[in-house]
C-alpha cells in the first residue's frame, strides 16, 4: 500500500501546479523506478533546501510527527476547559455554566482536580494526530492522482473532504480507548483518577467493548468535525491569500504565513465546533453510563441537551484548531518540509476554458 501511495504522490498536482520536470532513475523503498514525471516547482531537494521530497515516506512520517505535536499538546493544554465542558454535558443540573462548573470543581477537587484526564488526553490525541494529519496527506495525494490534475483542481473541496474523512476513520480507532478512559475519569465520581488505574477497571468491567463502545458516536463527532476542519481550512487559506493578504504567499515571510495559518485555523475551528457538538455530547453521556447506547443517550439528553456546553466548546475548539494548524505548519517550517502553495488552475484547464470562451 505504501508503495502505491508514494508512487502516486510523485504525480500529485498539489505538489506544484507550475511545470513538469523529469528526474533521473532513482529508488523508492528500495525498488528501482524508471524515469518518471513529477510535479515540480522545485526540481530536487537540494535545489529547494527541503529536507525531503514531497510525497516520500519521510515526508508522510514527518507530517505524522507534526500531527502528534499539534494534537497531543493542544488538547492537553485545554484539559481544564474540556473537563468542565464534559461535566456540563452529563450533569447540567450540578454544573450550570462554565464559570459555575469551574467553581464547583475547584471547591470539590481543588486546582489539581482540573487536570483530571490529562494522561489519556495526551496519549489519545497524540495517536489521533499521527493518523489524522499523516494519513490526510497520504489520502490527499492518493485521491488527487485518481482524479487527475484537472479534476483535482475542479473538485478540490470534495477531495479535501474525502481525504480527511478517510484519515479520521482510522484516527478515531486509535483515539477511542483513551477517550473512554478520559471521560470516565472526568465525569464518574469515585472512578479512578489516573490512566494507569482506569484501563484495568474498564477492561475488567466491560472487556474490550468498554474501550470501543463509543467508537460509532466518536466517528459521528470526529469525521464531520475533521472534514470541516480540513476542507474549511484549505479553502480559507486559498481565499485569504487571494483576497486579503496583499502579496503572494511565496513573497510572505514564514512568520506572516504562520499568522495566516492561525487565522484560517480559527475560522475553521468555529464551524467544526458547531457541526460536531451534538455527537460530542452523546459521546460524553455514553461513556458516563454503562450499558447505554448512542440512541439511548440522545433520547435522554433531548434536543436542548444535545447543545449544552456549545459556547465553551466553540472557544475550546476554535482555539484548539487554530493552534493545531499553527503548530503543524510551524513543524513543517522547522523540519524544512515541502509546503506547496495554494492550488492553481492547471494550464491545460485554462486553455480549455479559453477555447470555450472563443
Amino acid at each position: 500500500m505504501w508503495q502505491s501511495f508514494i508512487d502516486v504522490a510523485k504525480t500529485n498536482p498539489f505538489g506544484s501546479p507550475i511545470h513538469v520536470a523529469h528526474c533521473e532513475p532513482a529508488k523508492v523503498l528500495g525498488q528501482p523506478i524508471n524515469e518518471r514525471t513529477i510535479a515540480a516547482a522545485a526540481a530536487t531537494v537540494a535545489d529547494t533546501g527541503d529536507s525531503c521530497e514531497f510525497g516520500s515516506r519521510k515526508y508522510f512520517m514527518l507530517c505524522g510527527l507534526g500531527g502528534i505535536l499539534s494534537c497531543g499538546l493542544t488538547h492537553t493544554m485545554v484539559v481544564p476547559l474540556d473537563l468542565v465542558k464534559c461535566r456540563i454535558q452529563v450533569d447540567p443540573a450540578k454544573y450550570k455554566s462554565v464559570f459555575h462548573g469551574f467553581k464547583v470543581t475547584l471547591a470539590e477537587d481543588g486546582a489539581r482536580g482540573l487536570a483530571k484526564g490529562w494522561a489519556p488526553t495526551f496519549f489519545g490525541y497524540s495517536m489521533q494526530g499521527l493518523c489524522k494529519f499523516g494519513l490526510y496527506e497520504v489520502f490527499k495525494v492518493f485521491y488527487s492522482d485518481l482524479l487527475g490534475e484537472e479534476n483535482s483542481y475542479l473538485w478540490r473541496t470534495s477531495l479535501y473532504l474525502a481525504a480527511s474523512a478517510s484519515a479520521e476513520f482510522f484516527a478515531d480507532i486509535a483515539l477511542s480507548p483513551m477517550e473512554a478512559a478520559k471521560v470516565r475519569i472526568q465525569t464518574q465520581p469515585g472512578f479512578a483518577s489516573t490512566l494507569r488505574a482506569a484501563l484495568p477497571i474498564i477492561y475488567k468491567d466491560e472487556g474490550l467493548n468498554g474501550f470501543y463502545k463509543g467508537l460509532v458516536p466518536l466517528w459521528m463527532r470526529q469525521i464531520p468535525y475533521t472534514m470541516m476542519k480540513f476542507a474549511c481550512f484549505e479553502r480559507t487559506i486559498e481565499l485569504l491569500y487571494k483576497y486579503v493578504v496583499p502579496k503572494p504567499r511565496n513573497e510572505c515571510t514564514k512568520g506572516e504565513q504562520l499568522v495566516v495559518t492561525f487565522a484560517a485555523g480559527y475560522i475553521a475551528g468555529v464551524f467544526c465546533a458547531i457541526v460536531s457538538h451534538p455527537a460530542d455530547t452523546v459521546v460524553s453521556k455514553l461513556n458516563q453510563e454503562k450499558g447505554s447506547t448512542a440512541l439511548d443517550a440522545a433520547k435522554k439528553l433531548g434536543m436542548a441537551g444535545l447543545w449544552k456546553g456549545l459556547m465553551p466548546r466553540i472557544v475550546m475548539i476554535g482555539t484548539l484548531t487554530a493552534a493545531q494548524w499553527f503548530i503543524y505548519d510551524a513543524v513543517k517550517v522547522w523540519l524544512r518540509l515541502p509546503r506547496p502553495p495554494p492550488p492553481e488552475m492547471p494550464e491545460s484547464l485554462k486553455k480549455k476554458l479559453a477555447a470555450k470562451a472563443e
Side-chain angles (χ1 to χ4, degrees), residues 14-80:
F14 287 89
S16 169
I18 299 174
H19 66 276
V20 174
H22 296 281
C23 293
E24 294 299 318
K27 289 187 177 182
V28 173
L29 298 181
Q31 298 297 320
I33 296 179
N34 294 326
E35 185 169 331
R36 32 192 180 94
T37 301
I38 63 170
T44 66
V45 170
D47 291 341
T48 62
D50 293 334
S51 63
C52 59
E53 191 175 355
F54 183 85
S56 64
R57 175 186 282 184
K58 181 179 178 181
Y59 174 80
F60 291 133
M61 290 177 67
L62 292 178
C63 286
L65 174 61
I68 290 173
L69 295 174
S70 66
C71 290
L73 294 177
T74 52
H75 277 276
T76 305
M77 285 168 57
V78 295
V79 161

Side-chain angles (χ1 to χ4, degrees), residues 85-101:
K85 182 266 301 179
C86 287
R87 290 182 173 182
I88 291 172
Q89 289 173 329
V90 301
D91 194 355
K94 182 176 180 180
Y95 304 94
K96 297 179 176 62
S97 67
V98 178
F99 293 108
H100 186 259

Side-chain angles (χ1 to χ4, degrees), residues 177-239:
M178 294 294 137
E179 181 74 0
K182 176 187 79 75
V183 173
R184 284 167 172 78
I185 290 170
Q186 292 180 337
T187 63
Q188 287 187 6
F191 192 76
S193 60
T194 66
L195 176 62
R196 184 169 53 184
L199 294 179
I201 294 173
I202 296 171
Y203 183 75
K204 180 182 177 182
D205 291 348
E206 303 175 63
L208 286 176
N209 183 59
F211 296 113
Y212 290 100
K213 74 173 187 177
L215 180 58
V216 173
L218 196 59
W219 277 330
M220 292 170 61
R221 179 188 85 183
Q222 288 296 131
I223 290 178
Y225 162 83
T226 301
M227 292 170 73
M228 181 67 72
K229 174 179 180 174
F230 282 86
C232 185
F233 173 81
E234 297 271 20
R235 294 310 301 263
T236 302
I237 279 283
E238 190 176 332
L239 293 172

Side-chain angles (χ1 to χ4, degrees), residues 125 128 168 172-173 175-176 179-180 183-184 209-225 275-289 292-298 301 306 313:
Y125 282 93
Q128 187 211 36
E168 189 60 38
D172 290 342
I173 295 173
L175 170 64
S176 186
E179 181 74 0
V183 173
R184 284 167 172 78
N209 183 59
F211 296 113
Y212 290 100
K213 74 173 187 177
L215 180 58
V216 173
L218 196 59
W219 277 330
M220 292 170 61
R221 179 188 85 183
Q222 288 296 131
I223 290 178
Y225 162 83
V275 165
S276 62
H277 188 73
D280 178 67
T281 307
V282 171
V283 170
S284 296
K285 192 70 175 175
L286 187 64
N287 280 315
Q288 185 204 27
E289 299 181 355
S292 63
T293 65
L295 187 60
D296 292 336
L301 288 163
L306 288 172
R313 191 158 192 269

